[in-house]
Every structure is written in structure tokens, then in C-alpha cells.
Amino acid sequence: MTRAALAQRLRLPLGFLLAALYLLFARPRPRTLGIGLVLALGGVLVRAWASGHIAKNQRLAITGPYAHTRNPLYLGSFLIACGFAIAARWWLLAVVVAFFVLIYFPTMRREREKIRSSFPEEYREYERQVPAFLPRLVPWRPAVRARAARFSPSLYMRHGEWKVALGYLGAMAWLLVRAWRLG
């Protein structure tokens, strides 16, 4: 099994384990909680926006957030994780960055190969113009203008992205209670 395949397999189980440990040991303070809440909410919104633009395995997503970064779902997850890290303890940012470098970046490379093989002609120019992770400020527009796909609420629901929003609300509620109890 390749490193990328292993990273992709471990991504969710390790993520859930780290989340459970995080909730158990979090020590939020009002200031860091506020900063973290805003940053994580930004990540939830990026993921929501992205999930309403992607029709997996049907067409190459190049509109909405995909015109800024090739991996907006992972970028959103990164922002959520950074927000929760800041909310609990600043030093946890190092854990988040390490987790993404070791687990998510190999996963992104593996997924890139799959997308390249599914959409070889379209992806070539898209990959040259749109960064893999950190977004470009101005959205990329392809030379050949196809009809731009709009955000689809049904795709958002089908992808289950509403569960991320519920998870965010539940975790923030937990952190608010922890902050209040730690006083």
C-alpha cells in the first residue's frame, strides 16, 4: 500500500480520534474561542459552497470555490481544524498543520491522479491555472466559456454537508460550556 493510500485510509479514523481527544482536553478561553469560532465558521461556509458546486465523477468542478482552489473541501476542513485548535489552545495549530501535511496532502495527490485520468483534457489547463490548496484571489475563468454551474442546494444536501454544520454547532456548544465551566 502506498503512503497516499494509507493516508487516505487513515484520514477519517484518525480525524475522529483526534476530535474526541480534542473535546476531552480542550481548554477554551473567551478570546481564543471567539477567534476560533469565526475561523471555523469560515471553513464550514467554504465547505458548504464547495459541496454545492461538485458533481462527483460527472463533471470537473471549476466554478464557485473551485475557480480559486482545486481543493476547497480540504481547505474548508483545514480552516475548521485551525479554528477549533485556536479555540482550545494555540499550540494545537502545529498538530493541525502536521496532520494535514502527513494525511491530507498525500490524499490530495492521489485524488489529483484520479481526476486527471477522468478529465484529462479539461484538467490540464485547470491544474496550470488554479492552485492545489491556497486559493488564488481572482477566480480563474477558462478560455472556452462553458455555461457556469451555479450553487446547487440539492448537491449540498446530497453530499451531507449539513452534517458538518451540525457538528460545528455541537462542538462550539461544547466549547462554550467548557469555557464557562473553566471560568
Side-chain angles (χ1 to χ4, degrees):
M1 179 178 298
T2 67
R3 181 176 163 218
L6 181 62
Q8 194 167 15
R9 266 186 109 176
L10 292 176
R11 178 179 55 153
L12 290 177
L14 280 177
F16 284 121
L17 175 64
L18 288 174
L21 290 171
Y22 167 84
L23 290 173
L24 184 63
F25 294 109
R27 298 287 182 260
R29 298 287 178 238
R31 182 173 172 220
T32 59
L33 188 58
I35 294 167
L37 180 138
V38 171
L39 186 58
L41 178 61
V44 170
L45 294 174
V46 168
R47 284 190 58 88
W49 187 27
S51 71
H53 279 271
I54 187 169
K56 294 178 183 178
N57 302 320
Q58 295 174 16
R59 62 178 163 78
L60 181 62
I62 61 171
T63 60
Y66 291 92
H68 296 272
T69 174
R70 295 193 316 263
N71 291 286
L73 288 166
Y74 292 142
L75 176 62
S77 295
F78 181 72
L79 294 173
I80 292 167
C82 287
F84 280 119
I86 290 168
R89 306 253 179 155
W90 282 96
W91 61 266
L92 286 174
L93 279 173
V95 175
V96 168
V97 170
F99 186 76
F100 268 79
V101 168
L102 294 173
I103 301 297
Y104 277 87
F105 284 10
T107 300
M108 284 189 275
R109 278 194 299 276
R110 183 177 175 157
E111 288 178 1
R112 179 183 65 215
E113 295 308 318
K114 182 181 176 197
I115 294 169
R116 264 188 193 153
S117 68
S118 298
F119 306 99
E121 295 300 316
E122 296 171 83
Y123 194 75
R124 187 176 301 123
E125 179 66 13
Y126 177 64
E127 184 178 31
R128 275 197 302 266
Q129 299 296 327
V130 180
F133 191 67
L134 296 176
R136 57 184 281 156
L137 296 177
V138 177
W140 174 69
R141 304 279 186 237
V144 176
R145 288 251 174 190
R147 197 175 127 219
R150 296 182 161 269
F151 177 84
S152 167
S154 65
L155 282 175
Y156 170 81
M157 295 304 289
R158 187 177 337 141
H159 294 311
E161 212 48 44
W162 56 272
K163 295 174 194 171
V164 174
L166 285 179
Y168 166 81
L169 292 173
M172 279 302 165
W174 172 258
L175 291 174
L176 286 167
V177 168
R178 297 275 295 176
W180 177 73
R181 294 184 87 201
L182 292 170

